[in-house]
């Protein structure tokens, strides 16, 4: 075993894995979770004066036991106040057999990519295979990642870009159209875009619902990614009550996801959720049953995806000699 704890910055991590890698990693993590071959999950949310901290923990057992602990700070005025990223954090990766700290690494790159990969895995099983049109709500970094990852699993030909800030939507449309060689149109009327879309992804920090009941057309796959704390909300709860709902993790979604708001409104119970993603991936529950049903994927993210991503990054970095080693226990 190499001596010392491996330190990896964002650039190190970005050089190691691509979208197809993350999709494979995340899909395998959910499959292993369904088979009971992962560690238990932990979630803690702490409010601060100007933001919040998400602490997520989990672990995988393949090819060895890894434990991952992520702390992410979400401070959504950081850029305008300090010129700092709105989301920052680290992942501590440990040997799950003896507790040795193996690596400390930037969490942002892994979080962004495992989130995009999770939506892609869900779309692989739940979106119509002939989906051609996407609406992206929230045109920041995650909106770009979601678009790139969805292109990996469904044959998208065009997209609509919707953002509270129209200038951000216009820039997104221009840059993503050039990058992906795909028609991307900024829109100010979300309802019109949704009426023409096969897939919709919401990835905003919104605290008030903006995707309205009745605006989705039959057969839509809707991935709700933004709500990962109790006060965040993007969807009208009636959408969940009238659709097939698949969640990443039932307990989490019932506490901090869009499901939480539907339960609170008395429109849906946790028992009425169709499946967790792990069950669909493992073939324990069905995916899409018809071309006309609307399927909502409620995604809150977990330490499972973080640990799986961090473990893969660590193994690749160790193999290729990337990063810097530091001995925390030297005297």
């Amino acid at each position: 075993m190499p001596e010392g704890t491996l330190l990896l910055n964002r650039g190190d991590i970005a050089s190691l894995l691509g979208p197809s890698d993350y999709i494979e990693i995340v899909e395998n993590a959910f499959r292993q979770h369904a088979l009971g071959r992962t560690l238990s999950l932990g979630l803690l949310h702490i409010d601060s004066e100007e933001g919040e901290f998400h602490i997520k923990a989990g672990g995988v057992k393949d090819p060895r036991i890894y434990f991952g602990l992520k702390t992410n700070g979400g401070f959504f005025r950081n850029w305008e106040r300090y010129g700092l990223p709105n989301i920052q954090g680290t992942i501590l990766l440990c040997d799950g057999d003896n507790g040795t700290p193996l690596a400390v690494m930037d969490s942002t790159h892994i979080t962004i990519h495992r989130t995009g990969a999770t939506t892609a895995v869900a779309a692989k099983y739940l979106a119509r295979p002939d989906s051609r049109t996407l609406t992206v709500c929230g045109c920041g970094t995650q909106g770009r990642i979601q678009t790139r990852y969805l292109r990996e699993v469904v044959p998208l030909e065009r997209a609509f870009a919707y953002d509270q800030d129209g200038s951000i939507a216009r820039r997104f449309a221009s840059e993503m159209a050039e990058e992906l060689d795909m028609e991307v149109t900024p829109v100010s009327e979300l309802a019109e875009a949704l009426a023409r879309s096969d897939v919709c992804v919401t990835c905003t920090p919104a605290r008030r619902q903006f995707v309205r009941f009745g605006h989705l057309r039959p057969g839509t796959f809707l991935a709700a990614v933004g709500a990962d704390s109790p006060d965040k909300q993007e969807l009208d709860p009636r959408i969940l009550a009238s659709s097939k709902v698949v969640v990443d993790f039932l307990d989490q979604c019932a506490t901090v996801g869009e499901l939480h708001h539907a339960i609170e409104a008395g429109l849906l119970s946790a028992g009425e959720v169709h499946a967790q993603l792990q069950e669909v991936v493992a073939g324990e529950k069905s995916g899409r049953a018809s071309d006309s049903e609307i399927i909502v994927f409620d995604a809150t993210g977990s330490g499972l995806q973080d640990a799986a991503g961090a473990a893969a990054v660590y193994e690749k970095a160790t193999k290729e000699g990337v990063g810097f080693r530091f001995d925390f226990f030297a005297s």
Side-chain angles (χ1 to χ4, degrees):
M1 180 183 297
E3 293 185 3
T5 301
L6 186 63
L7 305 182
L8 295 166
N9 64 30
R10 193 171 304 176
D12 294 331
I13 296 167
S15 70
L16 296 169
L17 302 174
S20 61
D21 299 311
Y22 279 103
I23 291 172
E24 181 180 352
I25 290 161
V26 167
E27 185 171 11
N28 183 60
F30 276 102
R31 183 175 292 108
Q32 295 303 311
H33 193 57
L35 297 173
R37 298 173 184 169
T38 61
L39 303 183
S40 58
L41 302 177
L43 171 66
L44 184 62
H45 176 86
I46 297 175
D47 288 321
S48 187
E49 291 295 323
E50 294 288 340
E52 59 191 4
F53 289 94
H54 290 183
I55 297 97
K56 295 180 177 179
V60 293
K61 298 182 180 180
D62 180 26
R64 57 188 278 196
I65 305 176
Y66 287 105
F67 166 78
L69 174 68
K70 182 179 79 174
T71 301
N72 261 16
F75 290 76
F76 293 99
R77 294 180 58 208
N78 262 6
W79 183 253
E80 64 181 81
R81 295 173 71 204
Y82 307 116
L84 293 172
N86 289 340
I87 298 177
Q88 305 174 86
T90 58
I91 297 175
L92 170 64
L93 184 72
C94 297
D95 187 317
D97 188 55
N98 57 34
T100 300
L102 300 173
V104 177
M105 63 186 76
D106 166 72
S107 68
T108 306
H109 189 87
I110 291 174
T111 299
I112 288 170
H113 285 268
R114 64 81 160 154
T115 302
T118 301
T119 299
V121 171
K124 176 180 174 180
Y125 290 89
L126 303 174
R128 297 196 331 271
D130 62 347
S131 295
R132 296 288 193 274
T133 304
L134 164 71
T135 289
V136 180
C137 301
C139 297
T141 299
Q142 189 55 233
R144 294 166 187 265
I145 292 292
Q146 293 286 326
T147 304
R148 292 172 188 137
Y149 272 82
L150 283 165
R151 273 284 293 263
E152 295 281 324
V153 295
V154 290
L156 296 177
E157 296 176 351
R158 66 191 68 85
F160 297 111
Y162 176 81
D163 196 282
Q164 187 175 12
D165 186 331
S167 65
I168 292 176
R170 289 190 292 274
R171 184 166 64 249
F172 173 97
S174 175
E175 294 174 356
M176 294 303 289
E178 181 177 356
E179 176 188 329
L180 299 177
D181 191 24
M182 181 175 79
E183 178 186 337
V184 184
T185 306
V187 295
S188 58
E189 295 297 330
L190 181 57
E192 294 179 9
L194 293 175
R196 300 169 60 188
S197 295
D198 308 303
V199 176
C200 174
V201 58
T202 60
C203 45
T204 77
R207 283 168 165 74
R208 183 177 299 175
Q209 56 181 273
F210 61 86
V211 181
R212 304 300 181 190
F213 177 68
H215 287 175
L216 300 174
R217 76 178 190 176
T220 297
F221 168 69
L222 169 59
V225 177
D228 58 1
S229 61
D231 60 342
K232 290 183 180 179
Q233 183 179 15
E234 299 176 305
L235 311 186
D236 184 329
R238 292 177 294 175
I239 294 174
L240 281 79
S242 62
S243 305
K244 175 182 281 186
V245 178
V246 176
V247 299
D248 56 359
F249 301 96
L250 185 58
D251 290 345
Q252 281 190 192
C253 289
T255 304
V256 300
E258 294 293 342
L259 176 62
H260 154 72
H261 296 289
I263 292 173
E264 196 171 64
L267 297 172
L268 193 68
S269 70
E272 293 175 289
V273 170
H274 172 70
Q276 298 185 88
L277 183 57
Q278 66 188 48
E279 297 172 312
V280 177
V281 170
E284 298 172 357
K285 294 282 185 71
S286 63
R288 175 170 289 276
S290 75
D291 286 344
S292 62
E293 65 182 348
I294 295 173
I295 301 181
V296 176
F297 175 56
D298 188 9
T300 53
S302 80
L304 171 65
Q305 297 117 296
D306 296 322
V313 164
Y314 172 76
E315 291 187 352
K316 188 81 176 291
T318 300
K319 180 179 179 180
E320 298 189 2
V322 175
F324 169 77
R325 292 195 175 272
F326 181 81
D327 188 353
F328 284 100
F329 307 112
S331 54

